[in-house]
Structures are given as structure tokens and as C-alpha cells.
Amino acid sequence: MALTGIDIFKLLPKTNCQECGVPTCLAFAMKLAAGQAELSSCPHLSDDAKAALGEASAPPIRLVTMGSGDDAFKAGGELVMFRHDKTFFNPCGYALLIDDTSGASEIDGKLKQVNESHFVRVEQDLKADMVAVKCSSGKPETFVEIIEKVKAATSLPLILMSDNPEVIHAGMAVNGEAPLIYGANKDNYEKMADLAKTHKTALAVISDNGIDGLNDLVPKIEALGVKDLVLDPGYRNPKETLQSLVYMRRGALVKKIKAFGYPTIAFPVEETSDEMMETLLAGLYTCKYGSIIVVGNLKPQYALPLYVLRQNIYTDPQRPMQVKQGIYPIGTPNENSPVLVTTNFSLTYFIVTGEVEGSRVPAWMLIQDVEGLSVMTAWAAGKFVPEKIAPFIKGSGIEEKVKHRKLVIPGYLSQMSGELDDELEGWKVEVGPREAADLPAFLKAWSA
Amino acid sequence: MEVKETYNGTIREVTLGVGDKAVVVGGETALSFYTFEGVMPRKPVIAFDVYDEEPADWPAPVVEPYKDVLGDPVKWALKCQNEYGADMICLQLVSTNPTGTNRGAEEAAQTVKAVADAIDIPMIVYGTANVEKDTEVLAKAAEAAQGKNVLMGPIEEDNYKTIAAAALGFQQAGATHSPIDVNMAKQLNILATQLGLNADRIIIDPTTGALGYGLEYVYSVMERLRLAALTQNDSMTQMPIINTIGKEVWKAKEVKVSTEEEPAWGDAETRGIIWEAMTAIALLMAGSDILVMRHPKAVELTRDFMALMA
Ligand code: B12
Ligand code: SF4
């Protein structure tokens, strides 16, 4: 996006017709340069200008959509090397591999994993994103049969895997959706590109020698008019895969190498035969620049930690994960159970409720919305202070749930206990321990 | 096609322990495992958690491997050394916690000496992060472990004067601990070095958050420390990094809950092992040099991972 506002202005009609919603062509150019406007807002652009500007304003890593509707999966669109530089935008996707030579019970087991490994954590849905069907049989009819079986069990987008265009052709005929074709190599790319264009699907580009091969092959496929690509450097060992993924991300973002400006695909399933190691390698590519990660198992004991890692890595550092404001019963509290207040920062919430649960003392947790800040950060920001806490407690409905009127506050806020006591009529404020780790001992000794 | 990054800084090398089994950590000239554009002269090391009293709240999967040694730190440490091939032991003086058993500094120091004398691998000695109590406990511990070149911590902003001085006086290394903050980590290293503790005797403890419990914060703070160290040649961020993983992971809800309580989460032991190893892998990629871990299988997996990446 090297063009300045002036560069862009030179390519505009300069009629100041205002149809773009901006008073002048120059102002529109400035907005475009700043990324605050869409090229398509100007209806009067010449084709030449469109091509030149479209290219210049294209994101450095293309956002590629696979599948449709609620289950569509978007890959790519990243803008930074490190999450602290801004954020990672589009969470990587996990695809479960199903081989068309596997027995029926194995395939059923995998489809069950896809559907059952589905969790809700911090109000986010954690689940698989795609299913990869691989034609190892070499037979189009077997491939088609398995695709049909998979489609009957799940609506997730598919990755159709074969290096034989005939097989992919057969698979596309039954698929109907817009999945990913895997894929094009240096021998078959013309036919694969044709298929991708006909069916309007994304196409994976498979290198036989890392990023050099991609640098060679990608422009050829682009020249055939396929726009949605996914890149596989082709190695099947984590060391070289990591190297390629780092080089591709850096190549696209920092060195502006256009051939690398696409999402990536990695195959832990083909890098190890151990399911534990496979999960860890999927974790590696979650941290380091994998967009689609193909695994051979998503049993819940593996899927849950993997999905939580993705949730962590893709959290916006500027917008912390939050939980909803409200009363959270821990265990089965009654009218004599302790009442504790804290903030809705998901980390604080998890740590504190974890300790309260661990204590086995049933309790009422009051979680106040402070826009996801920790206790002290929220206090310093003026969001978790007596004038805000008191009305929250009063309005929370807790007074109907307990007979006593004792409120436990975080130990770090001891200095405001007097003031809160005054604000919160009818209640007595008790200062809890500073560290949540000391809550079990505190709660065991607590009485109404 | 030039896609390599060039770095101008190097992570310091710190030696811990004495004799044949001494370990060196650090020495990287690129981000961890980026061996395609710099040197990672050695793999990070794994220390096993050993408590100085029987832990009350460890979940079953991590009690099981140690059940014959849990009340006896010496036997426990030897088991980790001899059976699991630990690179190091991390002796956690949990019994000194004022809100727990509240054992005195003298008694804790005896345990330190007993363990240090029994093993021949290097040792880490950690207090309970109680600012006042640790000053007493770690000062005594430093003395008791004299001649062993142990790593002691956590050294905090509020007690660095006594603890860093004890490390200096008894020729031990120190782990400076700050709350997930690049500038605070740097500032504490400046303070400790001004006191006379050599920069090559310091390990950074950036505060560890487990997978699902703040991992993203420590991950990013470590990446930022590493980038400052390697690309800006900022000397007060160039110390190797320690992560106390076991302690954080094995208190997470998703790790403690049994298979029966939550069948939809799958086998509890495997889930816990992966939770610990996954935390380790993410932090290895962010720049960890010393991982303090618990489950032998999680350690084995982490080692296998490092072998694949070497
Ligand atoms: C990360 C961080 C931030 C992040 C925010 C992340 C977030 N989502 O909150 C960012 C960078 C945005 C930030 C900003 C600021 N921060 Co800040 N921040 C921190 C830091 C390093 C860690 C906070 C954290 O995540 N803690 C972890 C959580 C889990 O801790 P917690 O919520 O306190 O919960 C623990 C206990 O309180 C207890 N607990 C919690 N609830 C309950 C309930 C009960 C009943 C009990 C008994 C116990 C209990 O259990 C938990 C674990 O033990 C702290 C330093 C530190 N030592 O904490 C500074 C810190 C909190 N920040 C501080 C300040 C001043 C600020 C700013 C005002 C800075 C500025 N000038 O801009 C801003 C304000 C933000 C705003 N919007 O205006 C100060 C507060 C000083 C003070 N005591 O007044 C601190 C202490 C740093 C310092 N030493 O100066 N900050
Ligand atoms: S719509 Fe196009 S031509 Fe009209 S003012 Fe906007 S930029 Fe200029």
C-alpha cells in the first residue's frame, strides 16, 4: 500500500461529483490512502485506475473465504508479525483429516470427534473449522462416497485432497459448496486452476521445494486467473515448516513479496504418527503463522487445549476477553453463603472462580462489567471504585438471594473499604486476601 | 528473495550448578528455534518441581508419578534426577508460606542443603513470593546452598535489596520476577545489577500464566523482551527466561476436573499432560530457556518437541 493520497488522486476522475460521499476527489483520495474508504465507493473509476488502485490497496495477505453461511471459514488477512504489534485477526482453522481408504467405523469415529469437540469458553464457541477428505484410494467413486458420508454428518467446509484433477472433478460434482481444492503442484496446476475457476473455489498451491517453489508457481497460477490461493511449502517436518511459515509471513508483510500474500496450510498429521505430538505441532503452527492446520484427531482431550491456545493467541491485546456482568453461583450457594465481588476481566474471573471452586465452599460471585480490566487496572481507571461498585451491588439482585449483608472485596482494594462501606447502605464490607490463591483458606474460615 | 531477519543482540549465557552436570542456558542470537537465521547453541532445559512438604492440592495425574516420594524432598529430587533424567530440580519452599505451614527459614534451609547434597544436577530454589518472608527464607537458603551455584528467586522489586544481595554474597544466580510487564522486568534488572549482581547471573521470571489463564500476556511480554534483546541490543533484557509452568498449569480448572465430572472434555490425565506441554511449547516459542514442569509425560513430550525442532 505504498501509494500516497496524491498518487491516488492522479488516477481519479477529478470531477468532484461527490457520489462517493466525500466533497472532493482529493478528499476521497486521502481517505483511501488512510484506509478509511473503499475503492468501490467511486462509481466513475476507469478500468486502468481500478486495476492500479485495486492492487495498491489490496491487503498484504489475502483474506480467503471457504464454505458459506454460518460455517464459512475465513483465512488470512493478517497484518502483523507479532500479536503485540496490533492483533492477529482471523483465528487459524483446524481441519480433521479423513482418508477415503479408512474403514467405516474409523470414519464414523472421526465425524463424531468433529461434532462432539465443541466447547463454549469465555462466551466464545470453540470448534473445528473444516474437514479434509483425502483420496488415497485413487478411485473417484470411493472418494465421492466418502464425501457424501462426510457431508451427511457435518456442514463444515471441506478440503478435497488429491493430486489427480479427475478425482477432484468427481469430488466437486457432489460437493456443491465452495471448499478448498488441495491442490495444485507444478505438474497439474493448469488443470487444477481450471477446476478452481469453474467451481469458484479456493486452491491450495503445493510446493516441492519450500518457498522457492511457491515463488515460482504462485505467479503462474495467478496468471491463470485464480485469486483465492492457500500456500503449502510442502515440507513434512516441523523445522522446515516453521522456517517456511515465518519466511512467508515476513515475505508478505515486511518484504512485500506478492507471491506469499496468501493464507497458509500446515499438516501436523503428516509430520508425526503420535497424536500427542500432533496436537503440540498444531499448537506450534497456531502460534507461528499457520492459517489452516490439518490434524488426524480432535478427541476432546486434545481439541480443548488446542482451541484454548488459539483463543489466547488470537485475543486482541487491546481488547481483553470479558465475561458478562452478573451473579455467578459457584457450587450451590444458599442464603448464608459468602458474596464476593470482582471484575469481568476473563483472566481475573477465571482465576478467582477457580479458587472459589477449589475451596468447595459454595459462594456467590458478583461480576461487575468494567470493560474487561483487572482489579487494580479497573480501580486506577476509575471503573471499579465505590461510586460504581455500590449501585452495581444494589441493582444486582443479590439482596434477594442472601440474608446476610457481608461483601468480600479483593485485598488489593483494602484502601477503599471504608468509603464503600459508606456508599453501600446496609452492607458490611470485608477485605478479602490479596491473592486469589489464599481464598480457599479465607472462605473455609468465613461465616455469615 | 531476501526474507531473513538480521539480529544484532545475543542472549547472555548463564551457568547454573557445578561439576559435570552444570547447565548453561541462553546464548541465542535469533528468536527461539529460528535456527534458519541465527544460532540457538543449546536446547532450553527442564527443571522438575519438588515441594518441601507434601502438596495438598495437586490433582491425581501429577500425584500418581510421585506418590512414593511426596513427603520427602530428597527422595523426590533423586527420583526426578535418576528416573526422569531431570536437567534441574526446582525446590519450592512452599512450607514457609505464612498462610500455610509457616515453617521457619532455618528449617527450610536444612531442606535446601539436604537436597543440594543429595543430587548432582543443578538446583533452583524458589520461595513463596511472600515479599517479607522470602527475604529471610531465601537469605538462609543462599547460605545453605553455598558452593552449589543455584538459581534463587523470586527476587521482587520490594525485596531485591536483601535477596539479590544474598545471591551476590553466596555466589548464587538470581531470578528477577516482575508482573507481566516489559518495563518493570527491565527496571528490576537495572536495580539488581546496580546492587552488584552481575547481569550474567540473572534470569528473568516474567510471571507465567497457564494456557487459558493469561498465557497470551506472558507470551507477548516474552516476545517483546526477546525482540528488545535481539534487535535493539538492549542489555537489560538479554537475560535468559524462566517459566514456572507446572505450578500454574496444574491449578487450572480444565486440568483439575476428572473424566467423570466432565466426560465431554475427554480423558483427564491426557488433557492435563497436553495442557502442560502446550503451555511449554507456546512459551518455548516465545523465548523460554528454563521450563519448570511437573508431569513426566509432559516433560518427555516437550523434549521430543525440542528434538524435532533442533
Ligand atoms: C496488564 C496490566 C494493564 C493492561 C490491562 C489489562 C487488563 N485487562 O486489565 C493495560 C496495559 C491496558 C493497563 C492499563 C493501565 N494500568 Co495496568 N496493569 C497491568 C498489570 C501489569 C497486570 C494486571 C493483571 O492482569 N493482573 C492479573 C489479574 C488476574 O489480577 P487481579 O484482577 O488483580 O486479580 C488478582 C487479585 O486482585 C485477586 N482478586 C481478584 N478479584 C478478587 C476478588 C476477591 C473477593 C478477592 C478476595 C481477591 C480477588 O485475585 C487475582 C489473582 O490473585 C498490573 C500490575 C500488577 N501487578 O497487577 C498493572 C496495574 C494494575 N496497572 C496500573 C495502572 C496505573 C494502569 C493505568 C492507569 C496506566 C496508565 N497510566 O495508563 C492504565 C488504566 C487502564 C485504562 N483503561 O485507563 C497500576 C495500578 C496502580 C494502583 N494500584 O493504583 C498497576 C498495579 C501497575 C503499577 N504497579 O503501577 N494495565
Ligand atoms: S465519486 Fe469519484 S469522481 Fe466523484 S467525487 Fe468521489 S472520487 Fe471524485
Side-chain angles (χ1 to χ4, degrees), chain A residues 328-333 356-357 361-363:
Chain A
Y328 290 67
I330 314 286
T332 33
V356 175
E357 256 173 36
V361 177

Side-chain angles (χ1 to χ4, degrees), chain A residues 12-26 28-29 41-45:
Chain A
L12 295 180
K14 306 191 190 70
T15 54
N16 301 337
C17 74
Q18 305 193 359
E19 281 172 50
C20 54
V22 177
T24 62
C25 291
L26 182 59
F28 182 67
S41 302
C42 170
H44 304 297
L45 281 178

Side-chain angles (χ1 to χ4, degrees), chain A residues 317-321 339-343 345-349 351-352 355 365 371-384 408-413 415 430-439 442, chain B residues 157 178-181 184 217:
Chain A
Q318 269 89 45
R319 286 199 328 161
M321 278 193 283
V339 177
L340 300 88
V341 66
T342 191
T343 72
F345 177 33
S346 71
L347 184 55
T348 303
Y349 166 81
I351 294 174
V352 177
E355 294 292 347
M365 289 293 318
E371 291 156 37
L373 295 178
S374 79
V375 166
M376 276 192 288
T377 313
W379 178 79
K383 297 189 162 97
F384 199 54
V408 182
I409 64 167
Y412 284 110
L413 297 183
Q415 74 283 358
E430 294 182 345
V431 179
R434 293 173 145 229
E435 292 304 325
D438 297 322
L439 265 169
F442 176 87
Chain B
E157 197 174 339
S178 47
I180 317 198
D181 186 296
M184 285 161 93
Y217 288 91

